[in-house]
Amino acid sequence: MKQLFFLLALLFTSISYAQFNNNSRQRQSFPSPQQQQSPKPKFEVEKYVGIIIYDVEKAAKKTGVKLSSTTGKTFSTTLKNYNKSIKDIERINSFVLKSTKNMVESFQKKAIETGDFSNQPKVMKAMNENLKPVSESIQQEDKAFDAKMKSVLSKKQYLKWIKYNRKLNKTFYK
């Protein structure tokens, strides 16, 4: 009888010890909600301003232009010239773009941490003032580029071109 009681006590102790160790390992493997970090703020200033760099082959495929034809060659040179001018605008205004991006991301990070979004109108106003000259120069370039594309492409190809650009979130100015 003593042996049976001793065996049951030993069995009960080992089972409870095994369950306790298994349960503590499970708690360690799952991170607690406080350990999870909020996502880092990401502001794409190039998208906001409207900077789009085209891939010539993909754009030709989407619009139905054959690059070996004369239309395709003018299409290709027009796109390359546009990409070059947009990259120049981006390079010239790189400091403004980077500083605006840093300003917005730091505000977003601070607002997420503290929960205080009261400075958002000020940040938005400063961002718009900083980026206004850049967006105006890109708009002028886009107007000239759109007029050139309209003359190069046929009506059907131009409609495909507009459809392709809308997928890239580009706006057309009249």
Side-chain angles (χ1 to χ4, degrees), residues 99-112:
S99 65
T100 304
K101 180 178 180 169
N102 290 337
M103 175 186 68
V104 171
E105 286 181 350
S106 66
F107 165 74
Q108 288 175 343
K109 185 176 180 181
K110 186 177 178 184
I112 288 171

Side-chain angles (χ1 to χ4, degrees), residues 131-153:
L131 296 177
K132 188 174 183 177
V134 179
S135 64
E136 286 176 352
S137 62
I138 289 175
Q139 283 179 7
Q140 289 175 351
E141 196 66 39
D142 282 347
K143 285 179 184 178
F145 177 64
D146 188 44
K148 179 76 175 173
M149 278 297 172
K150 205 171 197 176
S151 66
V152 168
L153 299 174

Side-chain angles (χ1 to χ4, degrees), residues 74 89 104:
T74 55
I89 292 171
V104 171

